[in-house]
Amino acid sequence: MNDLFINKSSCTPELNPLPNVRFGQNNEMNGRSSSIAFKAKSKLPHTLLKIGKSGEGEDYTSSVNKTPDSKALEVFILPSKLMSDNFLAADFKFGLKNGISAGAFFGGDVISNANARNQAELFVDHLMTGNGKNWNDDGTLSKGMKKTPEVKAFTKKVCNEFKSLMQTKFGNFWEVQLNKNNYSNISFSFGSSPTLKGLVGGTQKTVVSIQNIVYNTYYRTWLAALNLHIEDDFGVSESDVTSPRGASAVVAMPALADFWILQHQRGKKPFVTVFDIPFSCYGSY
Amino acid sequence: MSRVTSSYLLCVILGVTFLLSGTSCNQTKQNEAMKIFHLAPNRITVNDEAEPNDNWFVKEREDFFALKNFSADSETHKTEVDSFVTNYIKKDNFLSTDEHVSWSLVFFKYGDDITENTEHLFDTDYSMHELFAFKKRLIYYYFTSKNGYENTGYYLNGGETIQEEKRSALQK
């Protein structure tokens, strides 16, 4: 279904699906169709929902020789003082990859183990050399995200509210905005995907937009191509290391400590990871 | 009295006692004083990276509160919060600072690391998904510069269900 929307320009004429048929004495239906088509062209893409903000907060700061606030972390990282950046990066990769593989072995994963280990390598390499530049996912992780219960539940909720509001607004999608208080940024659990839990975890910004929409004015139905845009900070705050919740988080502590040292004591810059997940909705108006 | 009748009577007595104790517990809970604590600072997000066609709010404000001893079943509690919100928004003209802004007042369940001294920081994985997790939300009040008061939502079952209402006290 998504292939229908790859090329926006090829879809736009579909907004007026019955151009040669006259409805009513003055061809009112055709007029209505042309009106929607005209407006749709100028209003796309349309933002339905925006929550959170990425690239801010303690987990997005970087420094050299920062002293931890908590005594526990200070003691925990004491042996790492003499380790080189490259050694810490290798240890971080080791912890990350093994954590992901172990989780996938016991609970399964929506992302293949080879891809997961490769992505973990790339993320740490980007931390070491990327100088804070955004990381745009090539589809490897976002395809996996689409299969998780978290993303499925989120897109289902969006579709239900969008469908209902499209009826209230008589199909004028540009008047529709979802209530952000009904949604939260997606947080991937270890159970749904160890890879996504390890590399992304709780996300920080979500934008849902309509990329394209086609109407059937005769049956008064619509079909929309939407995009779920997710952003996350690949960075760590002290509370992420010292306040782990759940067994998986406790196991991840040594890897997170390596990450904290690299970011807050060795000046490595955190970065924003960007994911785009297309999905579709349909309804009547 | 036959054994069946006496067993039946015992069941009735136990049932009534159980129901009464349930009601009295509920009353005790509802009678406990409800308290509201504002968690500073308020969060204002400026959407300065808007794309050309982006019609989203220019500015969004979120004020967080901790709510102690609130029961979603108590209309008295709901009315008390309505009254608090009505007075709170009167003191600020945020909605008139721009043509396209939104303002949300979000109430969290007191406890589990949320107290009157908890800072409203909402920008790390921990603060967004653990400390102020969605499942800890109790109520929101939503306002926009376009329509003023939009609606109120009561988060039930840890946010799995959201009961949306237009509170009459806020529509005046």
Side-chain angles (χ1 to χ4, degrees):
Chain A
M1 196 180 286
N2 292 326
D3 295 343
L4 276 173
F5 304 111
I6 288 168
N7 187 349
K8 268 186 222 168
S9 57
S10 69
C11 280
T12 310
E14 296 296 323
L15 288 162
N16 187 358
L18 301 164
N20 301 320
V21 182
R22 293 177 70 85
F23 294 96
Q25 271 190 327
N26 301 314
N27 198 17
E28 304 92 75
M29 189 60 90
N30 213 7
R32 164 82 177 144
S33 168
S34 304
S35 161
I36 286 179
F38 178 76
K39 282 197 172 155
K41 266 187 192 175
S42 62
K43 306 273 183 185
L44 287 169
H46 171 76
T47 306
L48 278 178
L49 178 69
K50 196 180 273 192
I51 36 177
K53 199 163 190 183
S54 62
E56 59 175 35
E58 192 202 329
D59 64 2
Y60 202 68
T61 56
S62 169
S63 48
V64 178
N65 282 334
K66 184 183 178 185
T67 311
D69 292 330
S70 81
K71 196 77 190 161
L73 185 61
E74 201 176 345
V75 173
F76 195 76
I77 62 171
L78 207 58
S80 315
K81 279 206 166 173
L82 296 172
M83 293 174 190
S84 69
D85 291 1
N86 286 341
F87 185 87
L88 283 168
D91 195 45
F92 181 24
K93 280 181 188 174
F94 179 79
L96 205 52
K97 287 194 287 187
N98 285 352
I100 289 169
S101 296
F105 179 77
F106 290 110
D109 201 335
V110 288
I111 292 157
S112 76
N113 198 243
N115 275 344
R117 294 177 74 88
N118 185 40
Q119 290 291 307
E121 284 263 354
L122 293 172
F123 269 49
V124 180
D125 287 344
H126 194 69
L127 174 75
M128 299 303 286
T129 58
N131 212 20
K133 201 178 158 197
N134 280 9
W135 171 274
N136 291 296
D137 177 55
D138 62 359
T140 310
L141 295 181
S142 39
K143 273 180 196 156
M145 283 178 174
K146 197 171 181 176
K147 295 176 194 162
T148 60
E150 289 90 351
V151 168
K152 281 181 183 170
F154 189 94
T155 52
K156 190 180 172 190
K157 194 171 171 181
V158 165
C159 278
N160 286 342
E161 195 181 349
F162 182 42
K163 273 180 187 179
S164 162
L165 288 169
M166 278 291 271
Q167 290 203 319
T168 317
K169 302 287 182 187
F170 306 106
N172 296 339
F173 69 84
W174 54 92
E175 292 175 11
V176 177
Q177 277 188 335
L178 306 186
N179 184 341
K180 69 169 189 167
N181 294 295
N182 293 338
Y183 299 85
S184 69
N185 287 307
I186 290 168
S187 180
F188 295 102
S189 69
F190 198 69
S192 71
S193 169
T195 306
L196 295 174
K197 175 69 179 172
L199 299 180
V200 183
T203 61
Q204 309 217 337
K205 182 180 176 182
T206 309
V207 182
V208 178
S209 55
I210 307 172
Q211 297 297 307
N212 214 329
I213 186 161
V214 289
Y215 291 86
N216 184 322
T217 49
Y218 184 73
Y219 293 108
R220 296 185 68 82
T221 56
W222 55 268
L223 170 65
L226 288 89
N227 186 57
L228 169 59
H229 176 89
I230 295 174
E231 289 181 18
D232 181 48
D233 293 353
F234 190 74
V236 68
S237 67
E238 197 170 324
S239 53
D240 291 331
V241 189
T242 56
S243 309
R245 293 197 179 188
S248 60
V250 176
V251 172
M253 242 184 110
L256 288 174
D258 288 337
F259 193 177
W260 191 88
I261 297 163
L262 286 168
Q263 185 183 335
H264 296 283
Q265 294 192 326
R266 308 287 172 94
K268 299 301 173 197
K269 289 204 168 68
F271 53 92
V272 173
T273 52
V274 182
F275 307 93
D276 284 292
I277 305 168
F279 67 105
S280 57
C281 283
Y282 59 90
S284 56
Y285 64 97
Chain B
M1 200 184 287
S2 73
R3 184 174 286 182
V4 175
T5 318
S6 62
S7 304
Y8 176 74
L9 269 175
L10 186 67
C11 280
V12 170
I13 290 164
L14 281 173
V16 169
T17 316
F18 176 75
L19 281 174
L20 284 175
S21 65
T23 314
S24 91
C25 279
N26 210 16
Q27 275 176 350
T28 316
K29 196 179 175 185
Q30 289 192 8
N31 289 340
E32 278 177 27
M34 194 187 72
K35 283 183 182 167
I36 302 171
F37 304 102
H38 175 235
L39 310 179
N42 300 322
R43 179 180 163 90
I44 298 177
T45 308
V46 180
N47 290 317
D48 47 3
E49 295 163 3
E51 288 168 20
N53 233 340
D54 196 339
N55 62 335
W56 197 252
F57 300 105
V58 179
K59 273 191 288 184
E60 294 171 88
R61 174 169 161 178
E62 279 175 310
D63 296 13
F64 276 17
F65 303 87
L67 197 47
K68 200 174 184 179
N69 298 329
F70 172 77
S71 164
D73 301 328
S74 164
E75 190 53 40
T76 317
H77 283 180
K78 287 182 176 177
T79 311
E80 252 183 78
V81 184
D82 287 347
S83 162
F84 171 84
V85 171
T86 309
N87 291 326
Y88 186 85
I89 58 160
K90 268 185 200 162
K91 293 175 194 163
D92 204 302
N93 66 343
F94 177 74
L95 287 176
S96 55
T97 56
D98 211 296
E99 280 182 6
H100 201 34
V101 300
S102 77
W103 190 5
S104 299
L105 276 62
V106 187
F107 294 79
F108 284 82
K109 191 177 180 180
Y110 187 95
D112 195 12
D113 293 340
I114 300 178
T115 68
E116 53 271 49
N117 302 316
T118 308
E119 219 180 334
H120 171 202
L121 289 178
F122 200 63
D123 49 17
T124 63
D125 200 331
Y126 169 74
S127 60
M128 290 167 100
H129 297 284
E130 299 284 352
L131 181 62
F132 292 112
F134 195 71
K135 64 181 178 191
K136 293 188 188 179
R137 290 180 175 219
L138 291 174
I139 318 171
Y140 73 77
Y141 287 78
Y142 185 43
F143 303 85
T144 61
S145 48
K146 190 181 170 192
N147 301 323
Y149 172 62
E150 293 280 351
N151 73 333
T152 299
Y154 296 97
Y155 299 93
L156 308 173
N157 306 324
E160 276 179 30
T161 313
I162 300 165
Q163 185 186 309
E164 294 185 61
E165 281 184 28
K166 287 255 186 193
R167 303 289 294 170
S168 57
L170 272 295
Q171 293 181 74
K172 286 170 190 168

